[in-house]
Amino acid sequence: MPYSNKNNNDKISKFFFWLSWCGTIVTAILFVVFSLYTAYSVNSEQNRIYQQAKKVAGVYARQLSKEIGVTKEVVNNLAKKLNSDTENYDKIPDLLREIIKKHPIIYGLGIAFSPYKYRDDIKLYAPYIYRDKKNNYKEINISDLYDYTATSSAKPNSPVTTWYHVPLEKGAMWLDPFFGFESKTYIAEYSKPLYRANDDNRPVGVIFADLSLGDVRNRIARLNIGKLGYGFIYSKEGTFVSHPNPDVLGQPIDNSIKKLIKISEKNKRKDIFTLIKAKDELTGQEAWYIFQPIPGTKWVLGLVLDSKEMQSTIYTDNRVYMIIDLFLLASFAIFASMLIFRAYKGKPKNLWLMSMAIAVIFVLASVYYANIPNVKKQDTGVKIYSVSSLSQFWQLYGLQNEDLQQQELIYIPVGLFIQHIKFPSEREVGITGYIWHKYSKKYALLIEKKRISKLFLFPQQTDKMILSKAYHHIKDDVETIGWRFTSHFRHFYSGKLFPFDKKIISIRLWHKDFYKNVFLIPDLSAYDLINPEGLPGIDKNLVLKRWHVKRSYYSYKPYTVTTNFGNKEFKRRTDIPDLTFNIELERKLTEPVVTYFMPLMIVTILVFLSLVSNLGKVSESMFTALTYSASLLFVLTITHIALRREIQTPDITFIEYCYILMYIFTVFVVINNIFVIQKVDWKFIQYRNNLIPKLFFWPSLTLCIMILTIVMFSS
């Protein structure tokens, strides 16, 4: 019989040895295959976004190139027509109007004659036809506004005359963008000298056609490059032709863009398309920069895609593959640990080493998965990280809501500075700080006409606000009013991931006269740094007892109301841009770990000790085993009740599921000890002094925690 038992043990040992080898090889192969597939899928998704951006850039570049070609063709054809027949001079205004109506892409078309070249009795004549904001065609004579033959003045608000002089000297060309004195908008202009028939040496003036950079900006705003992406165009001379921020149009490009351009030119391939991953120096956010030269011009289209937005989408789309990879890696590690620790020999020491290794593997897998970015977090809307993203949002919002394009809109800059935060309850937040709003002189007549007040609202406010005016001054035609406030606000909070939860305080801001087309915009110029990690709008001395302040930023989130608030003027009730100041908090782990995790871990260890110490055999008393387990459950229950009182959330939290798991495992251990006491003849219970339940305790517990982590952190 001893020989027979030894023979059986050898067979079992060999079986588990080969099972270990086969399992290690199979799971390794599957893990490699799925990892490669996941990497391929992630890379394909990234490449898809890249190709989509490339396609978008290419299509728009070709479209703009075509429009530019049409503009040049219109000017050239008009020049030929006037060169061949001077009798057309009398019909010039009608001719210009007819041409511009046929080509809606052209914003303005005109001819500027040199002194006395139109007629001997008329010194200057420069008819110009252009489209206004309501798409009506307007006709003016530029010479009635200013002397375009004079040299441009450096004085502010002086008319630019290079559009006339430079083409006369250098010939047909695209001019750098400039602010049209007559059109009151930024324009890109193609100009060509005009000659009389049989006299190609002395030009009699210039023909010019304008593209509105506002129209160019609008088309770029419609490009599908994500919520936080934006586009711009710069000339080879180094000036912005188009940009979401209208204040930089016609201005030199900044140094950070210049560095990227140099990299782009070095990496330029035959398809003249380059992708660069870099940091936006203004916002501090990682971004993808794409550069696409526009054929037939000296312009380059640039697209900026927010890296975090793209990567969050990629990780979310491939989360299932990552879960499979995680399980395959854990399985590989389990089989490999069987080989490394020679668990197949069946010796208790080897089995215990394998058991502990498996538990550690599951814990590491849980930690890894919990840190994978998840795009399904609380949606705070379109984040505003820069003036560019702010301009991009309003530009696109105006294009999507055509009814606003025909109305007089007022934009009021507003800012917040938070000095104190407290949480009376988990669904309420108390805040103290400063709020200011600015009123530009350019809106003065409109503000008076609409009787707009200079007050604000917090729509989430839950009690009476303590408000006092802190300052009020007028400087550079801007009136600034600052208030100090203290109030409580409604606060949405889900503590499902406690104690690994994060909290977002969102402070919604309304103007008191929100129904009169008054829109609030963040006063980004008031902050030294608008990088969210730099905590703009947060006092550096702000300290919260249980939270770290991680990020702060403004955002817009459209909302809808189902009432007009009793005011007939309030007609727009859907898709209203709601300006919000967001503060992202991350819980400090010290207190919850000491208060709730340590008791849980101590109870877990004591339950395990009751299992490995053979409590059932030592006591030989069911009452003793039950009393010991009941005392542990009592401690666990008291701590759990204190936890529920602390977090005050209707949801069952992550740590509570851990408590529930411990209840279940404690009950299983009690049942196991009862079976040992009763000497139930089950091999699972009696084998090697109850070894199997002991070995399975930590791996099964940590496996449940890993599954719990995957479920909780995926929702």
Side-chain angles (χ1 to χ4, degrees):
M1 289 296 292
Y3 176 79
S4 177
N5 287 336
K6 183 179 180 182
N7 192 35
N8 287 335
N9 289 338
D10 288 341
K11 286 182 178 180
I12 294 172
S13 179
K14 285 182 179 180
F15 170 77
F16 279 104
F17 173 77
W18 287 111
L19 177 65
S20 303
W21 268 111
C22 292
T24 302
I25 293 170
V26 171
T27 53
I29 293 172
L30 289 174
F31 173 70
V32 170
V33 170
F34 267 90
S35 294
L36 290 174
Y37 182 78
T38 302
Y40 170 77
S41 180
V42 169
N43 187 63
S44 297
E45 184 68 15
Q46 182 171 321
N47 191 56
R48 183 191 66 78
I49 295 172
Y50 169 82
Q51 292 297 333
Q52 181 181 351
K54 176 180 177 179
K55 183 179 179 181
V56 166
V59 168
Y60 181 75
R62 288 191 295 273
Q63 179 186 347
L64 187 57
S65 177
K66 183 179 178 181
E67 292 177 2
I68 289 170
V70 169
T71 304
K72 292 170 66 175
E73 185 180 351
V74 165
V75 171
N76 293 335
N77 290 340
L78 181 58
K80 286 180 182 179
K81 191 167 187 176
L82 294 175
N83 286 352
S84 61
D85 188 0
T86 55
E87 292 182 3
N88 286 317
Y89 281 14
D90 295 332
K91 303 175 184 177
I92 283 177
D94 294 332
L95 193 59
L96 295 178
R97 189 181 296 273
E98 180 184 346
I99 293 172
I100 199 172
K101 285 184 177 180
K102 287 182 180 178
H103 301 89
I105 60 171
I106 297 177
Y107 171 77
L109 184 63
I111 301 175
F113 286 93
S114 300
Y116 302 108
K117 294 297 183 181
Y118 173 67
R119 273 173 38 183
D120 294 339
D121 58 335
I122 297 177
K123 181 180 179 181
L124 296 177
Y125 181 57
Y128 180 62
I129 308 292
Y130 69 97
R131 286 183 290 107
D132 64 10
K133 292 183 179 180
K134 297 182 179 180
N135 283 323
N136 295 321
Y137 293 97
K138 301 289 185 180
E139 178 183 345
I140 60 172
N141 184 357
I142 298 176
S143 61
D144 293 339
L145 302 177
Y146 61 91
D147 183 0
Y148 54 83
T149 62
T151 306
S152 294
S153 172
K155 294 180 180 180
N157 301 320
S158 297
V160 176
T161 59
T162 52
W163 60 268
Y164 171 78
H165 292 284
V166 175
L168 288 178
E169 296 174 6
K170 298 182 179 180
M173 63 186 303
W174 277 98
L175 300 172
D176 277 346
F178 62 92
F179 189 80
F181 187 78
E182 62 285 341
S183 59
K184 305 302 180 185
T185 185
Y186 277 95
I187 55 178
E189 187 169 277
Y190 179 74
S191 293
K192 181 176 182 175
L194 173 64
Y195 297 89
R196 280 203 173 99
N198 302 319
D199 188 1
D200 294 336
N201 296 322
R202 291 181 298 174
V204 297
V206 294
I207 302 176
F208 55 93
D210 299 332
L211 290 178
S212 169
L213 295 186
D215 292 343
V216 175
R217 287 176 60 240
N218 291 343
R219 286 197 290 275
I220 293 178
R222 286 192 173 101
L223 299 181
N224 183 20
I225 49 177
K227 288 183 179 180
L228 303 180
Y230 64 91
F232 59 89
I233 297 176
Y234 66 90
S235 68
K236 292 293 180 66
E237 286 73 23
T239 58
F240 279 115
V241 176
S242 175
H243 196 278
N245 179 11
D247 294 336
V248 305
L249 292 178
Q251 301 298 317
I253 55 178
D254 53 73
N255 291 329
S256 61
I257 299 293
K258 286 181 180 178
K259 292 178 184 177
L260 295 175
I261 291 170
K262 288 181 179 179
I263 298 172
S264 172
E265 290 174 347
K266 287 180 181 179
N267 298 340
K268 189 161 63 177
R269 304 192 303 269
K270 289 182 180 179
D271 60 357
I272 60 170
F273 183 87
T274 53
L275 170 69
I276 302 171
K277 296 180 182 179
K279 199 171 192 177
D280 189 326
E281 292 187 3
L282 181 63
T283 65
Q285 302 299 303
E286 292 293 330
W288 298 353
Y289 288 83
I290 297 168
F291 295 98
Q292 170 70 62
I294 299 172
T297 72
K298 294 182 179 180
W299 296 351
V300 177
L301 171 64
L303 300 181
V304 183
L305 285 73
D306 184 77
S307 180
K308 283 187 177 180
E309 181 185 13
M310 298 299 108
Q311 290 185 6
S312 293
T313 303
I314 291 170
Y315 279 120
T316 301
D317 292 344
N318 293 279
R319 211 171 185 87
V320 174
Y321 299 131
M322 291 182 177
I323 293 173
I324 295 173
D325 283 341
L326 201 60
F327 273 106
L328 287 173
L329 179 61
S331 302
F332 166 75
I334 291 169
F335 285 115
S337 65
M338 290 176 66
L339 287 174
I340 294 170
F341 299 116
R342 298 182 179 181
Y344 53 83
K345 290 187 174 182
K347 294 181 180 179
K349 179 182 176 181
N350 302 57
L351 293 172
W352 276 115
L353 287 172
M354 186 190 75
S355 176
M356 293 297 104
I358 293 171
V360 171
I361 290 165
F362 287 147
V363 170
L364 292 177
S366 302
V367 173
Y368 168 78
Y369 189 82
N371 285 282
I372 295 176
N374 187 0
V375 80
K376 295 181 180 178
K377 294 177 182 178
Q378 182 178 336
D379 181 19
T380 55
V382 180
K383 299 175 179 62
I384 305 299
Y385 291 154
S386 64
V387 176
S388 298
S389 56
L390 174 62
S391 302
Q392 176 83 354
F393 171 81
W394 280 108
Q395 186 182 356
L396 188 57
Y397 181 78
L399 293 173
Q400 293 172 343
N401 300 275
E402 295 182 359
D403 58 309
L404 292 179
Q405 298 176 18
Q406 311 301 325
Q407 299 181 33
E408 296 176 311
L409 309 180
I410 299 176
Y411 298 98
I412 307 298
V414 63
L416 281 171
F417 183 69
I418 307 302
Q419 294 182 303
H420 178 69
I421 298 174
K422 65 177 181 179
F423 296 99
S425 68
E426 291 298 338
R427 296 303 173 100
E428 192 175 37
V429 58
I431 294 177
T432 297
Y434 287 88
I435 181 172
W436 65 90
H437 39 120
K438 297 179 176 179
Y439 297 86
S440 174
K441 186 179 179 181
K442 68 180 180 180
Y443 293 129
L445 293 177
L446 196 55
I447 288 174
E448 185 178 351
K449 175 184 173 183
K450 292 189 173 185
R451 297 183 180 180
I452 292 172
S453 63
K454 296 180 180 179
L455 297 171
F456 61 90
L457 295 174
F458 289 122
Q460 298 161 288
Q461 184 181 330
T462 59
D463 61 1
K464 187 176 181 180
M465 178 167 54
I466 301 174
L467 186 68
S468 60
K469 185 179 287 188
Y471 52 87
H472 186 181
H473 58 76
I474 300 175
K475 186 177 181 181
D476 297 330
D477 293 332
V478 176
E479 180 183 10
T480 304
I481 306 173
W483 306 82
R484 180 170 173 81
F485 72 94
T486 298
S487 187
H488 287 187
F489 304 91
R490 290 194 311 276
H491 169 57
F492 172 80
Y493 168 69
S494 174
K496 288 196 299 182
L497 297 180
F498 180 91
F500 307 108
D501 53 333
K502 296 179 181 180
K503 183 179 288 194
I504 300 180
I505 302 172
S506 295
I507 306 172
R508 296 167 60 194
L509 303 168
W510 287 9
H511 192 275
K512 186 178 180 182
D513 298 320
F514 57 88
Y515 54 88
K516 295 181 180 179
N517 284 332
V518 179
F519 297 108
L520 297 180
I521 60 173
D523 184 20
L524 300 180
S525 63
Y527 302 101
D528 294 334
L529 187 67
I530 52 178
N531 179 0
E533 279 73 22
L535 305 181
I538 303 295
D539 192 337
K540 301 300 180 185
N541 297 317
L542 175 65
V543 178
L544 298 177
K545 181 181 178 182
R546 296 173 181 173
W547 299 91
H548 293 291
V549 183
K550 303 300 290 184
R551 303 169 83 236
S552 61
Y553 53 90
Y554 287 94
S555 68
Y556 282 104
K557 189 173 183 180
Y559 73 100
T560 299
V561 293
T562 56
T563 176
N564 63 1
F565 298 97
N567 194 317
K568 293 181 180 180
E569 289 186 65
F570 189 37
K571 297 178 180 179
R572 181 169 191 78
R573 293 186 281 166
T574 59
D575 196 28
I576 304 170
D578 198 4
L579 179 62
T580 305
F581 183 69
N582 304 283
I583 307 169
E584 291 188 7
L585 307 177
E586 190 175 83
R587 188 179 293 276
K588 295 177 180 178
L589 290 176
T590 305
E591 183 178 345
V593 165
V594 172
T595 308
Y596 304 115
F597 256 122
M598 284 189 65
L600 181 61
M601 284 301 301
I602 291 170
V603 169
T604 304
I605 292 169
L606 290 175
V607 170
F608 176 68
L609 289 176
S610 75
L611 182 64
V612 298
S613 63
N614 297 316
L615 180 64
K617 287 197 171 186
V618 172
S619 66
E620 295 293 343
S621 167
M622 191 181 301
F623 177 77
T624 304
L626 289 173
T627 303
Y628 179 80
S629 301
S631 62
L632 295 180
L633 284 173
F634 177 76
V635 172
L636 210 60
T637 304
I638 293 298
T639 309
H640 190 178
I641 292 171
L643 169 65
R644 288 300 301 175
R645 289 175 178 171
E646 168 70 20
I647 56 178
Q648 297 180 358
T649 176
D651 301 311
I652 299 178
T653 64
F654 178 81
I655 193 173
E656 283 187 278
Y657 279 112
C658 294
Y659 273 79
I660 293 170
L661 278 176
M662 206 55 241
Y663 294 146
I664 296 171
F665 271 77
T666 303
V667 171
F668 277 138
V669 169
V670 170
I671 293 172
N672 175 79
N673 288 338
I674 291 173
F675 284 168
V676 171
I677 293 170
Q678 296 297 321
K679 298 179 181 179
V680 176
D681 190 20
W682 286 358
K683 286 186 178 181
F684 179 82
I685 300 295
Q686 301 300 336
Y687 179 76
R688 289 196 183 183
N689 193 24
N690 199 220
L691 181 62
I692 295 176
K694 297 173 185 177
L695 291 174
F696 271 82
F697 182 85
W698 288 111
S700 56
L701 178 60
T702 51
L703 174 62
C704 291
I705 291 174
M706 185 182 80
I707 295 171
L708 174 63
T709 302
I710 291 172
V711 173
M712 294 288 286
F713 282 82
S714 295
S715 59

